[in-house]
Amino acid sequence: MQKIRPDMDIGKNIQRLRNDSKMTQDQVVAKMNIMGLNISKSTYAKLETNRMNIRVSELFALKIIFNAEFNDFFEDLILK
């Protein structure tokens, strides 16, 4: 099975949004788990470093946690 490679580096924006929210990775993971998403800290760290594709449910949860708009996750990214 071929792996899908991320074509946009949104990890930096996820990390920026988390830092702007003054939250640690542990705090974000705890909130995601409370929301019913089973995610570990190491998996979350992979999202921030773009070593793992983000699921739509995870993106939606982060939108709520960070009180962000979807556009915030794609800031400064251009498709060519």
Side-chain angles (χ1 to χ4, degrees):
M1 178 182 229
Q2 185 178 3
K3 289 186 177 182
I4 298 173
R5 293 185 179 181
D7 64 348
M8 299 178 94
D9 183 4
I10 69 168
K12 291 176 187 174
N13 287 332
I14 293 171
Q15 185 177 39
R16 177 185 48 79
L17 289 166
R18 177 179 57 79
N19 289 331
D20 289 350
S21 298
K22 297 182 178 18
M23 297 178 73
T24 65
Q25 289 183 345
D26 285 324
Q27 290 169 320
V28 174
V29 168
K31 286 182 180 271
M32 292 177 81
N33 281 293
I34 289 170
M35 296 172 81
L37 294 170
N38 187 16
I39 186 169
S40 67
K41 183 179 176 184
S42 71
T43 297
Y44 177 81
K46 289 176 185 176
L47 297 177
E48 284 194 0
T49 57
N50 241 26
R51 290 183 291 149
M52 180 174 249
N53 290 326
I54 190 164
R55 295 178 180 174
V56 173
S57 57
E58 294 165 343
L59 183 63
F60 189 74
L62 292 175
K63 177 188 181 300
I64 293 168
I65 291 167
F66 299 144
N67 193 28
E69 299 296 326
F70 284 118
N71 289 346
D72 296 332
F73 292 93
F74 303 98
E75 195 170 291
D76 298 328
L77 300 176
I78 300 171
L79 284 177
K80 294 182 180 185

